[in-house]
Amino acid sequence: MTDVDEVDFEIDKDELDDTPVLEVPSDQLSLLVNDLHVSYRVFGAKKVGHGAGREWGVLDRLVRRGARQPPVREVKAVRGITFAAKHGEAIGIIGMNGSGKSTLLRAIAGLIPPAAGTVHVAGNPSLLGVNAVLMKDLTGERNIMIGALALGLTKKQVRERYQEIVDFAEIGDFVNLPMKTYSSGMGARLRFSISASAVPDILMIDEALATGDAAFRAKSKAKMDEVRQSAGTVFLVSHSLATIQSMCTRVLWVHEGRLVMDGDPKQVCVAYRDFVHARTAYKLAAAGKSPGGKKGAGKVTGKSATKR
Amino acid sequence: MVSVDQRGPGAPPTPPEPLTRVFSDESVSEAVAQNDLEQIGVRPRLGTYFKELWASRSFIQVLAVSRAESENQNTYLGQIWSLISPIINASVYVLIFGFLLKIGREGIENTIAFIVVGVFMFRFFERSVMAGAHSLNKNMNLVRSVQFPRAVLPIAGVLAELTMLGPALLVMCVISYLSGFLPVAGKVTIDAYWLLLIPAVLLMWMFSTGCAFMVARWVAMTPDLDNLLPHFLRIMMYASGVIFSVDRYLGQFSWGWLMEYQPVAVYLYLVRSSILDEPAYQPDALMWLMGVIWAVLFGVIGFLIFWGGEERYGRD
């Protein structure tokens, strides 16, 4: 998620100072993120460029062993993001791999403490991620119990909704087998069903719709609509611009931990697509290939080949 | 790393300038008040935290039972291993310290029962501390996926150990009783004192949970401590009289009483005084008092220490 190579380690503190200060739009807010910074401690990280890029002699390496590399590195994944979300909004988050989308989501959910800045949410912050990684040694049944209880349901509620969860996930008899025997699609569907078992104030979907067939995608969309109708807010991270455009009412474009665009889905998606195309063409040209790079960049869905 | 070709296209494409904007503090607090928002990512107040924890008790229970069930799941014998392992462990100590080195026989009438009880009970403490130490790191995925009071994890880890201790206690009692029939060993009689085993184990459980809280926070903040922990526990084992009488070997020093009244030694004393008929381990009111004091002290302080780091778990 946070690829070390992708993150700029430079800290530009002075850049943060001359930022325009906005008034918060104050009607029907469900989420308020103000100047959010999130950083990770990374143990054993190497200095960028000191890896396989160059051949190092034995002596070189011995010399390099010195105190040049700190054993712990701080990776700044989110570097100052500010926005406010309203009830009933479906917000898509786009950006390249490693731009900090998932970290942003988790910080909003209160799962990763912010290094600076604040996050405020409405009412009871029962925020859900679909990445609820469950215990692979345990059966689906146990995982449903654990996951739903962790989300704040009572035992009685879990028993009532148990069948509903199993049906929604379409895993059938596999529910009695350990989760490590599941296919990735089954695992993702089960996680989504568990997350969706409690109708949350804020639902966050991280790449989940990529797994599962058309029927499941339709059901997921229905769930999203249900959350929005009960005055919740939905966040959707996806690399599929088509999905984003069809499901979201607003799109945030995150680049290197910063927000670069915020607005109408169509507008932002077009700008993002143009950027990715231009980038692909540039990289191909820089690598000395024929400049007709447009052909290879026809699709921006999935893990795009634009990374390095 | 992309090398920029001079003859290629000019500058790499850049995304639009980042939206540098910040809400003013006053307007944030105003909006927060107007929309009834709550800040997240901050440590909850102690009372609220305790209430949330109490509300998640069925989560703790299910988590503990599941953890206990999944232990040893990948073996043919399965759960039986949680009985076999301590038996083998105890046998080794009985053989080496009881019969070869004879350290475990000084001042002890029934060496086998003495060492078996010591090893079984210390194992519970040791495993509880390790479960606490790993409770956050091993469950980082859960921590980063769902919001719940993090104290659930160390509590559930120790509770899982307690569930596994249940059957082991039965085996421990049976072995102790049977060892009394051996010609070399002193008798072990079943009497009303055996009932004291239950409060002794419960006190030890509370104490272990407190320890698990502390190491959970320390290891989460400084993972290096995880490497020191096994060594520390090994020292604790020898300092607590698991396989020999503390009184006999350390009592001669001026600081020997410290070793006798340190928590782990106290709990071993309590369990032994309940089950065994050793003249040196008779039920003692002072020891029970110490047992209660240590359990409350470690339980409360451990909880406070863990709560103090609540907003930082999951950061890395």
Side-chain angles (χ1 to χ4, degrees), chain A residues 72-139:
Chain A
V72 184
R73 189 168 276 286
E74 193 139 358
V75 173
K76 300 192 182 302
V78 173
R79 307 187 294 160
I81 286 187
T82 299
F83 68 90
K86 290 178 193 166
H87 287 287
E89 267 188 320
I91 301 179
I93 301 179
I94 55 175
M96 294 190 305
N97 290 320
S99 55
K101 304 181 297 287
S102 303
T103 309
L104 174 63
L105 270 196
R106 287 177 178 192
I108 294 171
L111 303 171
I112 301 178
T118 56
V119 178
H120 289 86
V121 295
N124 187 19
S126 56
L127 303 134
L128 306 180
V130 172
N131 279 334
V133 177
L134 307 167
M135 302 194 178
K136 60 181 174 40
D137 284 337
L138 302 179
T139 61

Side-chain angles (χ1 to χ4, degrees), chain A residues 22 41 82 113 121 137 259, chain B residues 19 21-22 38 221 311 316:
Chain A
L22 305 178
R41 254 191 323 181
T82 299
V121 295
D137 284 337
L259 204 56
Chain B
L19 299 170
R21 55 179 189 183
V22 176
E38 266 173 49
M221 301 297 158
E311 79 280 14
D316 47 352

Side-chain angles (χ1 to χ4, degrees), chain A residues 1-189:
Chain A
M1 186 183 51
T2 39
D3 193 346
V4 178
D5 285 354
E6 290 278 329
V7 182
D8 187 2
F9 295 120
E10 299 299 324
I11 316 157
D12 5 43
K13 274 261 161 59
D14 24 26
E15 239 180 56
L16 301 172
D17 292 338
D18 54 329
T19 49
V21 171
L22 305 178
E23 288 299 308
V24 183
S26 62
D27 53 326
Q28 297 291 305
L29 286 189
S30 67
L31 178 75
L32 185 57
V33 178
N34 195 16
D35 197 22
L36 180 71
H37 290 253
V38 181
S39 54
Y40 287 98
R41 254 191 323 181
V42 178
F43 288 92
K46 286 228 165 141
K47 199 164 193 165
V48 178
H50 181 213
R54 202 197 123 174
E55 207 163 303
W56 293 89
V58 178
L59 204 65
D60 256 348
R61 256 182 288 167
L62 276 175
V63 173
R64 282 261 160 178
R65 270 286 137 102
R68 272 301 182 86
Q69 310 170 17
V72 184
R73 189 168 276 286
E74 193 139 358
V75 173
K76 300 192 182 302
V78 173
R79 307 187 294 160
I81 286 187
T82 299
F83 68 90
K86 290 178 193 166
H87 287 287
E89 267 188 320
I91 301 179
I93 301 179
I94 55 175
M96 294 190 305
N97 290 320
S99 55
K101 304 181 297 287
S102 303
T103 309
L104 174 63
L105 270 196
R106 287 177 178 192
I108 294 171
L111 303 171
I112 301 178
T118 56
V119 178
H120 289 86
V121 295
N124 187 19
S126 56
L127 303 134
L128 306 180
V130 172
N131 279 334
V133 177
L134 307 167
M135 302 194 178
K136 60 181 174 40
D137 284 337
L138 302 179
T139 61
E141 188 191 350
R142 274 272 176 218
N143 273 302
I144 291 175
M145 200 73 189
I146 291 176
L149 285 173
L151 294 173
L153 267 66
T154 63
K155 263 186 172 171
K156 190 161 159 270
Q157 282 171 320
V158 181
R159 272 194 287 272
E160 281 166 11
R161 296 183 200 176
Y162 176 78
Q163 200 52 47
E164 195 187 318
I165 296 173
V166 175
D167 292 345
F168 191 85
E170 298 171 13
I171 52 172
D173 290 340
F174 271 88
V175 76
N176 294 318
L177 292 180
M179 264 195 84
K180 60 187 169 194
T181 61
Y182 289 19
S183 74
S184 55
M186 289 194 314
R189 288 204 302 269

Side-chain angles (χ1 to χ4, degrees), chain B residues 86-147:
Chain B
I87 292 176
I88 296 175
N89 201 355
S91 313
V92 172
Y93 285 125
V94 168
L95 204 65
I96 295 176
F97 291 97
F99 291 102
L100 290 178
L101 298 177
K102 298 194 167 55
I103 294 173
R105 305 182 80 161
E106 298 284 329
I108 308 295
E109 286 187 355
N110 187 338
T111 309
I112 297 177
F114 180 84
I115 292 182
V116 165
V117 171
V119 168
F120 272 65
M121 296 313 296
F122 187 79
R123 189 182 147 89
F124 165 65
F125 168 73
E126 193 178 27
R127 289 183 58 104
S128 300
V129 171
M130 291 313 283
H134 297 151
S135 59
L136 288 164
N137 297 7
K138 285 256 171 78
N139 292 305
M140 200 43 90
N141 285 327
L142 195 62
V143 169
R144 288 198 180 153
S145 306
V146 202
Q147 181 70 49

Side-chain angles (χ1 to χ4, degrees), chain A residues 25 29 31 82-86 88-94 228 233-236 244-245 247-253 259 261-266 268-269, chain B residues 19 21 23:
Chain A
L29 286 189
L31 178 75
T82 299
F83 68 90
K86 290 178 193 166
E89 267 188 320
I91 301 179
I93 301 179
I94 55 175
R228 284 178 57 200
T233 306
V234 176
F235 282 91
L236 175 65
I244 294 266
Q245 281 199 29
M247 291 189 179
C248 298
T249 59
R250 178 182 168 190
V251 174
L252 307 178
W253 175 5
L259 204 56
M261 258 184 116
D262 171 3
D264 174 62
K266 189 123 202 232
V268 180
C269 284
Chain B
L19 299 170
R21 55 179 189 183
F23 296 134

